[in-house]
Amino acid sequence: MSNYAGIFYRIRQRLPDKCLKSICFAFVYPHLLHGIEVYANTIPTHLSKLVILNNKILRILQNKPYRSPVKDLYTAYNTLPIPQLHIQQLLLLVHKCIYYKYMLPQIYLDYFHDNYTIYSHDTRQKTNLHMYSVNSTFGWPKIL
């Protein structure tokens, strides 16, 4: 995605804003969405370079100064910052797993279970989705 910043910097004066927005959603946005459910499940420092690069591209396309508020950039393009985009995509995945299983790959068919299929006793949360928890520090940065 970093090579798009230079390209967008050179073409931003030659194309209208509507065209620049379309190009952004055609070339940058698919890269952000591809696998965001997996790669964004990391600590925020691992995502910070991607967030900064995305903000930079939005500033270039909208011809805004470095100090312009990030919220305004996302509002102008009617999109979400990467952490909120990650949450949205996770919610869409859960929705598809529950209501539209035929739209998903085979691996996701048994991804979520209701609590009543796991436990034999009745609880107030029996209709909620079962949350598996993992107690691991695998992937976290090592502290010296």
Side-chain angles (χ1 to χ4, degrees), residues 10-46:
R10 285 189 288 270
I11 67 170
R12 72 179 175 177
Q13 302 296 336
R14 294 184 174 101
L15 296 174
D17 293 336
K18 189 175 180 181
C19 188
L20 290 173
K21 183 177 178 180
S22 296
I23 290 172
C24 177
F25 280 104
F27 291 104
V28 176
Y29 203 67
H31 286 283
L32 293 177
L33 287 181
H34 181 70
I36 194 170
E37 299 90 358
V38 176
Y39 73 77
N41 278 330
T42 185
I43 56 177
T45 55
H46 289 174

PDB file of all heavy atoms in Angstrom, residues 10-46:
ATOM      1  N   ARG A  10       1.021  12.145  -6.888  1.00  0.00           N
ATOM      2  CA  ARG A  10       1.261  12.705  -8.213  1.00  0.00           C
ATOM      3  C   ARG A  10      -0.029  12.979  -8.994  1.00  0.00           C
ATOM      4  O   ARG A  10      -0.069  13.905  -9.805  1.00  0.00           O
ATOM      5  CB  ARG A  10       2.161  11.775  -9.016  1.00  0.00           C
ATOM      6  CG  ARG A  10       3.611  11.823  -8.568  1.00  0.00           C
ATOM      7  CD  ARG A  10       4.504  11.048  -9.517  1.00  0.00           C
ATOM      8  NE  ARG A  10       4.336   9.610  -9.403  1.00  0.00           N
ATOM      9  CZ  ARG A  10       5.033   8.829  -8.575  1.00  0.00           C
ATOM     10  NH1 ARG A  10       5.947   9.365  -7.802  1.00  0.00           N
ATOM     11  NH2 ARG A  10       4.829   7.545  -8.523  1.00  0.00           N
ATOM     12  N   ILE A  11      -1.074  12.190  -8.776  1.00  0.00           N
ATOM     13  CA  ILE A  11      -2.288  12.346  -9.592  1.00  0.00           C
ATOM     14  C   ILE A  11      -3.383  13.175  -8.911  1.00  0.00           C
ATOM     15  O   ILE A  11      -4.384  13.481  -9.545  1.00  0.00           O
ATOM     16  CB  ILE A  11      -2.876  10.975  -9.996  1.00  0.00           C
ATOM     17  CG1 ILE A  11      -3.404  10.214  -8.784  1.00  0.00           C
ATOM     18  CG2 ILE A  11      -1.891  10.167 -10.783  1.00  0.00           C
ATOM     19  CD1 ILE A  11      -4.205   8.976  -9.129  1.00  0.00           C
ATOM     20  N   ARG A  12      -3.199  13.565  -7.663  1.00  0.00           N
ATOM     21  CA  ARG A  12      -4.285  14.241  -6.947  1.00  0.00           C
ATOM     22  C   ARG A  12      -4.650  15.594  -7.545  1.00  0.00           C
ATOM     23  O   ARG A  12      -5.781  16.042  -7.408  1.00  0.00           O
ATOM     24  CB  ARG A  12      -3.945  14.394  -5.465  1.00  0.00           C
ATOM     25  CG  ARG A  12      -2.874  15.413  -5.193  1.00  0.00           C
ATOM     26  CD  ARG A  12      -2.604  15.521  -3.737  1.00  0.00           C
ATOM     27  NE  ARG A  12      -1.477  16.418  -3.534  1.00  0.00           N
ATOM     28  CZ  ARG A  12      -1.025  16.763  -2.371  1.00  0.00           C
ATOM     29  NH1 ARG A  12      -1.600  16.287  -1.290  1.00  0.00           N
ATOM     30  NH2 ARG A  12      -0.002  17.575  -2.273  1.00  0.00           N
ATOM     31  N   GLN A  13      -3.727  16.271  -8.199  1.00  0.00           N
ATOM     32  CA  GLN A  13      -4.022  17.569  -8.807  1.00  0.00           C
ATOM     33  C   GLN A  13      -4.674  17.433 -10.184  1.00  0.00           C
ATOM     34  O   GLN A  13      -5.252  18.386 -10.689  1.00  0.00           O
ATOM     35  CB  GLN A  13      -2.736  18.398  -8.935  1.00  0.00           C
ATOM     36  CG  GLN A  13      -2.024  18.654  -7.630  1.00  0.00           C
ATOM     37  CD  GLN A  13      -2.845  19.506  -6.669  1.00  0.00           C
ATOM     38  OE1 GLN A  13      -3.713  20.259  -7.069  1.00  0.00           O
ATOM     39  NE2 GLN A  13      -2.568  19.355  -5.381  1.00  0.00           N
ATOM     40  N   ARG A  14      -4.569  16.252 -10.777  1.00  0.00           N
ATOM     41  CA  ARG A  14      -5.036  16.069 -12.153  1.00  0.00           C
ATOM     42  C   ARG A  14      -6.443  15.483 -12.259  1.00  0.00           C
ATOM     43  O   ARG A  14      -7.046  15.519 -13.319  1.00  0.00           O
ATOM     44  CB  ARG A  14      -4.062  15.157 -12.894  1.00  0.00           C
ATOM     45  CG  ARG A  14      -2.696  15.789 -13.071  1.00  0.00           C
ATOM     46  CD  ARG A  14      -1.786  14.898 -13.891  1.00  0.00           C
ATOM     47  NE  ARG A  14      -0.534  15.569 -14.168  1.00  0.00           N
ATOM     48  CZ  ARG A  14       0.578  15.340 -13.505  1.00  0.00           C
ATOM     49  NH1 ARG A  14       0.594  14.457 -12.523  1.00  0.00           N
ATOM     50  NH2 ARG A  14       1.680  15.983 -13.811  1.00  0.00           N
ATOM     51  N   LEU A  15      -6.933  14.897 -11.168  1.00  0.00           N
ATOM     52  CA  LEU A  15      -8.234  14.234 -11.202  1.00  0.00           C
ATOM     53  C   LEU A  15      -9.206  14.898 -10.240  1.00  0.00           C
ATOM     54  O   LEU A  15      -8.806  15.416  -9.204  1.00  0.00           O
ATOM     55  CB  LEU A  15      -8.076  12.757 -10.823  1.00  0.00           C
ATOM     56  CG  LEU A  15      -7.246  11.893 -11.766  1.00  0.00           C
ATOM     57  CD1 LEU A  15      -7.052  10.511 -11.185  1.00  0.00           C
ATOM     58  CD2 LEU A  15      -7.910  11.801 -13.129  1.00  0.00           C
ATOM     59  N   PRO A  16     -10.498  14.842 -10.552  1.00  0.00           N
ATOM     60  CA  PRO A  16     -11.483  15.400  -9.623  1.00  0.00           C
ATOM     61  C   PRO A  16     -11.605  14.543  -8.358  1.00  0.00           C
ATOM     62  O   PRO A  16     -11.224  13.369  -8.337  1.00  0.00           O
ATOM     63  CB  PRO A  16     -12.789  15.389 -10.430  1.00  0.00           C
ATOM     64  CG  PRO A  16     -12.564  14.447 -11.548  1.00  0.00           C
ATOM     65  CD  PRO A  16     -11.089  14.381 -11.795  1.00  0.00           C
ATOM     66  N   ASP A  17     -12.155  15.140  -7.308  1.00  0.00           N
ATOM     67  CA  ASP A  17     -12.260  14.467  -6.015  1.00  0.00           C
ATOM     68  C   ASP A  17     -13.066  13.181  -6.093  1.00  0.00           C
ATOM     69  O   ASP A  17     -12.724  12.180  -5.457  1.00  0.00           O
ATOM     70  CB  ASP A  17     -12.890  15.396  -4.976  1.00  0.00           C
ATOM     71  CG  ASP A  17     -11.985  16.575  -4.648  1.00  0.00           C
ATOM     72  OD1 ASP A  17     -10.764  16.441  -4.840  1.00  0.00           O
ATOM     73  OD2 ASP A  17     -12.511  17.613  -4.200  1.00  0.00           O
ATOM     74  N   LYS A  18     -14.139  13.184  -6.849  1.00  0.00           N
ATOM     75  CA  LYS A  18     -14.981  11.995  -6.965  1.00  0.00           C
ATOM     76  C   LYS A  18     -14.207  10.831  -7.581  1.00  0.00           C
ATOM     77  O   LYS A  18     -14.334   9.685  -7.160  1.00  0.00           O
ATOM     78  CB  LYS A  18     -16.213  12.323  -7.811  1.00  0.00           C
ATOM     79  CG  LYS A  18     -17.246  11.252  -7.835  1.00  0.00           C
ATOM     80  CD  LYS A  18     -18.486  11.703  -8.579  1.00  0.00           C
ATOM     81  CE  LYS A  18     -19.520  10.593  -8.601  1.00  0.00           C
ATOM     82  NZ  LYS A  18     -20.726  10.990  -9.322  1.00  0.00           N
ATOM     83  N   CYS A  19     -13.378  11.128  -8.558  1.00  0.00           N
ATOM     84  CA  CYS A  19     -12.560  10.099  -9.205  1.00  0.00           C
ATOM     85  C   CYS A  19     -11.491   9.573  -8.244  1.00  0.00           C
ATOM     86  O   CYS A  19     -11.237   8.370  -8.196  1.00  0.00           O
ATOM     87  CB  CYS A  19     -11.931  10.668 -10.463  1.00  0.00           C
ATOM     88  SG  CYS A  19     -11.090   9.455 -11.468  1.00  0.00           S
ATOM     89  N   LEU A  20     -10.886  10.462  -7.474  1.00  0.00           N
ATOM     90  CA  LEU A  20      -9.881  10.040  -6.492  1.00  0.00           C
ATOM     91  C   LEU A  20     -10.494   9.129  -5.436  1.00  0.00           C
ATOM     92  O   LEU A  20      -9.885   8.137  -5.027  1.00  0.00           O
ATOM     93  CB  LEU A  20      -9.246  11.264  -5.829  1.00  0.00           C
ATOM     94  CG  LEU A  20      -8.326  12.111  -6.705  1.00  0.00           C
ATOM     95  CD1 LEU A  20      -7.922  13.375  -5.975  1.00  0.00           C
ATOM     96  CD2 LEU A  20      -7.119  11.304  -7.121  1.00  0.00           C
ATOM     97  N   LYS A  21     -11.696   9.462  -5.014  1.00  0.00           N
ATOM     98  CA  LYS A  21     -12.391   8.623  -4.032  1.00  0.00           C
ATOM     99  C   LYS A  21     -12.669   7.240  -4.611  1.00  0.00           C
ATOM    100  O   LYS A  21     -12.468   6.227  -3.947  1.00  0.00           O
ATOM    101  CB  LYS A  21     -13.685   9.302  -3.593  1.00  0.00           C
ATOM    102  CG  LYS A  21     -14.434   8.562  -2.526  1.00  0.00           C
ATOM    103  CD  LYS A  21     -15.664   9.342  -2.105  1.00  0.00           C
ATOM    104  CE  LYS A  21     -16.460   8.580  -1.068  1.00  0.00           C
ATOM    105  NZ  LYS A  21     -17.656   9.320  -0.651  1.00  0.00           N
ATOM    106  N   SER A  22     -13.096   7.194  -5.855  1.00  0.00           N
ATOM    107  CA  SER A  22     -13.359   5.909  -6.514  1.00  0.00           C
ATOM    108  C   SER A  22     -12.085   5.075  -6.640  1.00  0.00           C
ATOM    109  O   SER A  22     -12.106   3.864  -6.429  1.00  0.00           O
ATOM    110  CB  SER A  22     -13.964   6.132  -7.897  1.00  0.00           C
ATOM    111  OG  SER A  22     -15.204   6.758  -7.795  1.00  0.00           O
ATOM    112  N   ILE A  23     -10.996   5.734  -6.976  1.00  0.00           N
ATOM    113  CA  ILE A  23      -9.715   5.024  -7.096  1.00  0.00           C
ATOM    114  C   ILE A  23      -9.282   4.477  -5.737  1.00  0.00           C
ATOM    115  O   ILE A  23      -8.780   3.359  -5.641  1.00  0.00           O
ATOM    116  CB  ILE A  23      -8.647   5.953  -7.707  1.00  0.00           C
ATOM    117  CG1 ILE A  23      -8.963   6.217  -9.171  1.00  0.00           C
ATOM    118  CG2 ILE A  23      -7.251   5.354  -7.573  1.00  0.00           C
ATOM    119  CD1 ILE A  23      -8.085   7.263  -9.819  1.00  0.00           C
ATOM    120  N   CYS A  24      -9.484   5.253  -4.701  1.00  0.00           N
ATOM    121  CA  CYS A  24      -9.137   4.805  -3.347  1.00  0.00           C
ATOM    122  C   CYS A  24      -9.921   3.555  -2.965  1.00  0.00           C
ATOM    123  O   CYS A  24      -9.366   2.581  -2.454  1.00  0.00           O
ATOM    124  CB  CYS A  24      -9.403   5.920  -2.344  1.00  0.00           C
ATOM    125  SG  CYS A  24      -9.085   5.460  -0.639  1.00  0.00           S
ATOM    126  N   PHE A  25     -11.219   3.572  -3.232  1.00  0.00           N
ATOM    127  CA  PHE A  25     -12.040   2.417  -2.883  1.00  0.00           C
ATOM    128  C   PHE A  25     -11.798   1.229  -3.817  1.00  0.00           C
ATOM    129  O   PHE A  25     -12.108   0.097  -3.465  1.00  0.00           O
ATOM    130  CB  PHE A  25     -13.526   2.789  -2.859  1.00  0.00           C
ATOM    131  CG  PHE A  25     -13.924   3.467  -1.590  1.00  0.00           C
ATOM    132  CD1 PHE A  25     -14.133   4.833  -1.561  1.00  0.00           C
ATOM    133  CD2 PHE A  25     -14.066   2.756  -0.416  1.00  0.00           C
ATOM    134  CE1 PHE A  25     -14.492   5.473  -0.385  1.00  0.00           C
ATOM    135  CE2 PHE A  25     -14.417   3.373   0.766  1.00  0.00           C
ATOM    136  CZ  PHE A  25     -14.627   4.738   0.785  1.00  0.00           C
ATOM    137  N   ALA A  26     -11.236   1.479  -4.981  1.00  0.00           N
ATOM    138  CA  ALA A  26     -10.929   0.387  -5.897  1.00  0.00           C
ATOM    139  C   ALA A  26      -9.595  -0.282  -5.588  1.00  0.00           C
ATOM    140  O   ALA A  26      -9.456  -1.494  -5.732  1.00  0.00           O
ATOM    141  CB  ALA A  26     -10.922   0.900  -7.336  1.00  0.00           C
ATOM    142  N   PHE A  27      -8.608   0.496  -5.127  1.00  0.00           N
ATOM    143  CA  PHE A  27      -7.272  -0.055  -4.966  1.00  0.00           C
ATOM    144  C   PHE A  27      -6.829  -0.220  -3.508  1.00  0.00           C
ATOM    145  O   PHE A  27      -6.117  -1.160  -3.190  1.00  0.00           O
ATOM    146  CB  PHE A  27      -6.245   0.810  -5.712  1.00  0.00           C
ATOM    147  CG  PHE A  27      -6.377   0.720  -7.196  1.00  0.00           C
ATOM    148  CD1 PHE A  27      -6.959   1.743  -7.918  1.00  0.00           C
ATOM    149  CD2 PHE A  27      -5.932  -0.396  -7.873  1.00  0.00           C
ATOM    150  CE1 PHE A  27      -7.093   1.667  -9.287  1.00  0.00           C
ATOM    151  CE2 PHE A  27      -6.054  -0.491  -9.243  1.00  0.00           C
ATOM    152  CZ  PHE A  27      -6.645   0.540  -9.965  1.00  0.00           C
ATOM    153  N   VAL A  28      -7.184   0.699  -2.630  1.00  0.00           N
ATOM    154  CA  VAL A  28      -6.710   0.652  -1.240  1.00  0.00           C
ATOM    155  C   VAL A  28      -7.657  -0.127  -0.348  1.00  0.00           C
ATOM    156  O   VAL A  28      -7.230  -0.992   0.423  1.00  0.00           O
ATOM    157  CB  VAL A  28      -6.506   2.090  -0.694  1.00  0.00           C
ATOM    158  CG1 VAL A  28      -6.117   2.060   0.764  1.00  0.00           C
ATOM    159  CG2 VAL A  28      -5.454   2.809  -1.511  1.00  0.00           C
ATOM    160  N   TYR A  29      -8.927   0.162  -0.433  1.00  0.00           N
ATOM    161  CA  TYR A  29      -9.919  -0.430   0.462  1.00  0.00           C
ATOM    162  C   TYR A  29      -9.940  -1.965   0.409  1.00  0.00           C
ATOM    163  O   TYR A  29     -10.018  -2.612   1.454  1.00  0.00           O
ATOM    164  CB  TYR A  29     -11.291   0.165   0.138  1.00  0.00           C
ATOM    165  CG  TYR A  29     -12.283   0.093   1.257  1.00  0.00           C
ATOM    166  CD1 TYR A  29     -12.106   0.829   2.419  1.00  0.00           C
ATOM    167  CD2 TYR A  29     -13.410  -0.697   1.162  1.00  0.00           C
ATOM    168  CE1 TYR A  29     -13.018   0.778   3.448  1.00  0.00           C
ATOM    169  CE2 TYR A  29     -14.333  -0.755   2.175  1.00  0.00           C
ATOM    170  CZ  TYR A  29     -14.135  -0.020   3.318  1.00  0.00           C
ATOM    171  OH  TYR A  29     -15.034  -0.082   4.337  1.00  0.00           O
ATOM    172  N   PRO A  30      -9.849  -2.597  -0.769  1.00  0.00           N
ATOM    173  CA  PRO A  30      -9.814  -4.067  -0.791  1.00  0.00           C
ATOM    174  C   PRO A  30      -8.608  -4.648  -0.037  1.00  0.00           C
ATOM    175  O   PRO A  30      -8.720  -5.699   0.590  1.00  0.00           O
ATOM    176  CB  PRO A  30      -9.749  -4.422  -2.271  1.00  0.00           C
ATOM    177  CG  PRO A  30     -10.338  -3.257  -2.962  1.00  0.00           C
ATOM    178  CD  PRO A  30      -9.978  -2.065  -2.127  1.00  0.00           C
ATOM    179  N   HIS A  31      -7.477  -3.951  -0.068  1.00  0.00           N
ATOM    180  CA  HIS A  31      -6.307  -4.417   0.676  1.00  0.00           C
ATOM    181  C   HIS A  31      -6.561  -4.362   2.178  1.00  0.00           C
ATOM    182  O   HIS A  31      -6.097  -5.218   2.925  1.00  0.00           O
ATOM    183  CB  HIS A  31      -5.066  -3.587   0.328  1.00  0.00           C
ATOM    184  CG  HIS A  31      -4.508  -3.882  -1.018  1.00  0.00           C
ATOM    185  ND1 HIS A  31      -3.755  -4.997  -1.286  1.00  0.00           N
ATOM    186  CD2 HIS A  31      -4.612  -3.201  -2.191  1.00  0.00           C
ATOM    187  CE1 HIS A  31      -3.404  -4.998  -2.553  1.00  0.00           C
ATOM    188  NE2 HIS A  31      -3.919  -3.916  -3.121  1.00  0.00           N
ATOM    189  N   LEU A  32      -7.277  -3.340   2.619  1.00  0.00           N
ATOM    190  CA  LEU A  32      -7.597  -3.226   4.044  1.00  0.00           C
ATOM    191  C   LEU A  32      -8.571  -4.315   4.479  1.00  0.00           C
ATOM    192  O   LEU A  32      -8.442  -4.885   5.558  1.00  0.00           O
ATOM    193  CB  LEU A  32      -8.194  -1.851   4.353  1.00  0.00           C
ATOM    194  CG  LEU A  32      -7.272  -0.659   4.212  1.00  0.00           C
ATOM    195  CD1 LEU A  32      -8.037   0.623   4.469  1.00  0.00           C
ATOM    196  CD2 LEU A  32      -6.100  -0.779   5.165  1.00  0.00           C
ATOM    197  N   LEU A  33      -9.558  -4.591   3.660  1.00  0.00           N
ATOM    198  CA  LEU A  33     -10.591  -5.552   4.035  1.00  0.00           C
ATOM    199  C   LEU A  33     -10.147  -7.003   3.937  1.00  0.00           C
ATOM    200  O   LEU A  33     -10.691  -7.859   4.634  1.00  0.00           O
ATOM    201  CB  LEU A  33     -11.828  -5.359   3.157  1.00  0.00           C
ATOM    202  CG  LEU A  33     -12.676  -4.141   3.436  1.00  0.00           C
ATOM    203  CD1 LEU A  33     -13.870  -4.107   2.509  1.00  0.00           C
ATOM    204  CD2 LEU A  33     -13.123  -4.097   4.869  1.00  0.00           C
ATOM    205  N   HIS A  34      -9.172  -7.283   3.083  1.00  0.00           N
ATOM    206  CA  HIS A  34      -8.761  -8.669   2.865  1.00  0.00           C
ATOM    207  C   HIS A  34      -8.115  -9.257   4.120  1.00  0.00           C
ATOM    208  O   HIS A  34      -7.004  -8.903   4.489  1.00  0.00           O
ATOM    209  CB  HIS A  34      -7.789  -8.769   1.691  1.00  0.00           C
ATOM    210  CG  HIS A  34      -7.351 -10.161   1.408  1.00  0.00           C
ATOM    211  ND1 HIS A  34      -8.212 -11.102   0.870  1.00  0.00           N
ATOM    212  CD2 HIS A  34      -6.182 -10.792   1.612  1.00  0.00           C
ATOM    213  CE1 HIS A  34      -7.563 -12.247   0.750  1.00  0.00           C
ATOM    214  NE2 HIS A  34      -6.330 -12.080   1.183  1.00  0.00           N
ATOM    215  N   GLY A  35      -8.834 -10.111   4.782  1.00  0.00           N
ATOM    216  CA  GLY A  35      -8.316 -10.800   5.954  1.00  0.00           C
ATOM    217  C   GLY A  35      -8.235  -9.959   7.207  1.00  0.00           C
ATOM    218  O   GLY A  35      -7.524 -10.321   8.146  1.00  0.00           O
ATOM    219  N   ILE A  36      -8.959  -8.866   7.267  1.00  0.00           N
ATOM    220  CA  ILE A  36      -8.883  -7.993   8.441  1.00  0.00           C
ATOM    221  C   ILE A  36      -9.368  -8.707   9.699  1.00  0.00           C
ATOM    222  O   ILE A  36      -8.921  -8.412  10.798  1.00  0.00           O
ATOM    223  CB  ILE A  36      -9.660  -6.674   8.218  1.00  0.00           C
ATOM    224  CG1 ILE A  36      -9.277  -5.648   9.290  1.00  0.00           C
ATOM    225  CG2 ILE A  36     -11.151  -6.908   8.191  1.00  0.00           C
ATOM    226  CD1 ILE A  36      -9.797  -4.262   9.021  1.00  0.00           C
ATOM    227  N   GLU A  37     -10.259  -9.694   9.548  1.00  0.00           N
ATOM    228  CA  GLU A  37     -10.738 -10.442  10.705  1.00  0.00           C
ATOM    229  C   GLU A  37      -9.593 -11.186  11.386  1.00  0.00           C
ATOM    230  O   GLU A  37      -9.623 -11.410  12.584  1.00  0.00           O
ATOM    231  CB  GLU A  37     -11.822 -11.457  10.297  1.00  0.00           C
ATOM    232  CG  GLU A  37     -13.054 -10.860   9.690  1.00  0.00           C
ATOM    233  CD  GLU A  37     -12.960 -10.724   8.176  1.00  0.00           C
ATOM    234  OE1 GLU A  37     -11.910 -11.053   7.599  1.00  0.00           O
ATOM    235  OE2 GLU A  37     -13.934 -10.266   7.583  1.00  0.00           O
ATOM    236  N   VAL A  38      -8.580 -11.534  10.621  1.00  0.00           N
ATOM    237  CA  VAL A  38      -7.446 -12.284  11.172  1.00  0.00           C
ATOM    238  C   VAL A  38      -6.306 -11.353  11.579  1.00  0.00           C
ATOM    239  O   VAL A  38      -5.847 -11.382  12.717  1.00  0.00           O
ATOM    240  CB  VAL A  38      -6.941 -13.330  10.148  1.00  0.00           C
ATOM    241  CG1 VAL A  38      -5.725 -14.047  10.666  1.00  0.00           C
ATOM    242  CG2 VAL A  38      -8.050 -14.307   9.808  1.00  0.00           C
ATOM    243  N   TYR A  39      -5.856 -10.516  10.655  1.00  0.00           N
ATOM    244  CA  TYR A  39      -4.641  -9.749  10.945  1.00  0.00           C
ATOM    245  C   TYR A  39      -4.865  -8.614  11.932  1.00  0.00           C
ATOM    246  O   TYR A  39      -3.923  -8.143  12.556  1.00  0.00           O
ATOM    247  CB  TYR A  39      -3.966  -9.231   9.670  1.00  0.00           C
ATOM    248  CG  TYR A  39      -4.636  -8.087   8.952  1.00  0.00           C
ATOM    249  CD1 TYR A  39      -4.543  -6.784   9.420  1.00  0.00           C
ATOM    250  CD2 TYR A  39      -5.338  -8.308   7.781  1.00  0.00           C
ATOM    251  CE1 TYR A  39      -5.144  -5.737   8.764  1.00  0.00           C
ATOM    252  CE2 TYR A  39      -5.938  -7.263   7.110  1.00  0.00           C
ATOM    253  CZ  TYR A  39      -5.836  -5.989   7.607  1.00  0.00           C
ATOM    254  OH  TYR A  39      -6.427  -4.950   6.946  1.00  0.00           O
ATOM    255  N   ALA A  40      -6.090  -8.154  12.109  1.00  0.00           N
ATOM    256  CA  ALA A  40      -6.325  -7.056  13.048  1.00  0.00           C
ATOM    257  C   ALA A  40      -6.539  -7.546  14.481  1.00  0.00           C
ATOM    258  O   ALA A  40      -6.696  -6.740  15.381  1.00  0.00           O
ATOM    259  CB  ALA A  40      -7.511  -6.220  12.601  1.00  0.00           C
ATOM    260  N   ASN A  41      -6.524  -8.850  14.688  1.00  0.00           N
ATOM    261  CA  ASN A  41      -6.614  -9.407  16.043  1.00  0.00           C
ATOM    262  C   ASN A  41      -5.236  -9.439  16.681  1.00  0.00           C
ATOM    263  O   ASN A  41      -4.776 -10.464  17.148  1.00  0.00           O
ATOM    264  CB  ASN A  41      -7.203 -10.823  16.015  1.00  0.00           C
ATOM    265  CG  ASN A  41      -8.693 -10.816  15.952  1.00  0.00           C
ATOM    266  OD1 ASN A  41      -9.329  -9.907  16.455  1.00  0.00           O
ATOM    267  ND2 ASN A  41      -9.261 -11.824  15.333  1.00  0.00           N
ATOM    268  N   THR A  42      -4.586  -8.335  16.702  1.00  0.00           N
ATOM    269  CA  THR A  42      -3.241  -8.229  17.249  1.00  0.00           C
ATOM    270  C   THR A  42      -3.190  -7.015  18.171  1.00  0.00           C
ATOM    271  O   THR A  42      -4.161  -6.281  18.294  1.00  0.00           O
ATOM    272  CB  THR A  42      -2.203  -8.116  16.112  1.00  0.00           C
ATOM    273  OG1 THR A  42      -0.901  -8.120  16.670  1.00  0.00           O
ATOM    274  CG2 THR A  42      -2.401  -6.868  15.291  1.00  0.00           C
ATOM    275  N   ILE A  43      -2.069  -6.829  18.797  1.00  0.00           N
ATOM    276  CA  ILE A  43      -1.936  -5.665  19.663  1.00  0.00           C
ATOM    277  C   ILE A  43      -1.865  -4.401  18.800  1.00  0.00           C
ATOM    278  O   ILE A  43      -1.416  -4.438  17.652  1.00  0.00           O
ATOM    279  CB  ILE A  43      -0.704  -5.802  20.589  1.00  0.00           C
ATOM    280  CG1 ILE A  43       0.570  -6.026  19.797  1.00  0.00           C
ATOM    281  CG2 ILE A  43      -0.916  -6.916  21.580  1.00  0.00           C
ATOM    282  CD1 ILE A  43       1.813  -6.091  20.649  1.00  0.00           C
ATOM    283  N   PRO A  44      -2.332  -3.277  19.322  1.00  0.00           N
ATOM    284  CA  PRO A  44      -2.417  -2.048  18.503  1.00  0.00           C
ATOM    285  C   PRO A  44      -1.091  -1.585  17.897  1.00  0.00           C
ATOM    286  O   PRO A  44      -1.092  -0.987  16.820  1.00  0.00           O
ATOM    287  CB  PRO A  44      -2.959  -1.013  19.480  1.00  0.00           C
ATOM    288  CG  PRO A  44      -3.708  -1.800  20.502  1.00  0.00           C
ATOM    289  CD  PRO A  44      -2.964  -3.102  20.627  1.00  0.00           C
ATOM    290  N   THR A  45       0.017  -1.865  18.535  1.00  0.00           N
ATOM    291  CA  THR A  45       1.289  -1.406  17.973  1.00  0.00           C
ATOM    292  C   THR A  45       1.622  -2.112  16.659  1.00  0.00           C
ATOM    293  O   THR A  45       2.327  -1.542  15.827  1.00  0.00           O
ATOM    294  CB  THR A  45       2.443  -1.621  18.965  1.00  0.00           C
ATOM    295  OG1 THR A  45       2.476  -2.987  19.366  1.00  0.00           O
ATOM    296  CG2 THR A  45       2.274  -0.734  20.182  1.00  0.00           C
ATOM    297  N   HIS A  46       1.127  -3.321  16.467  1.00  0.00           N
ATOM    298  CA  HIS A  46       1.373  -4.024  15.206  1.00  0.00           C
ATOM    299  C   HIS A  46       0.549  -3.425  14.070  1.00  0.00           C
ATOM    300  O   HIS A  46       0.933  -3.540  12.906  1.00  0.00           O
ATOM    301  CB  HIS A  46       1.061  -5.511  15.339  1.00  0.00           C
ATOM    302  CG  HIS A  46       2.053  -6.237  16.187  1.00  0.00           C
ATOM    303  ND1 HIS A  46       1.901  -7.549  16.532  1.00  0.00           N
ATOM    304  CD2 HIS A  46       3.202  -5.850  16.773  1.00  0.00           C
ATOM    305  CE1 HIS A  46       2.910  -7.932  17.287  1.00  0.00           C
ATOM    306  NE2 HIS A  46       3.711  -6.906  17.442  1.00  0.00           N
TER     307      HIS A  46
END
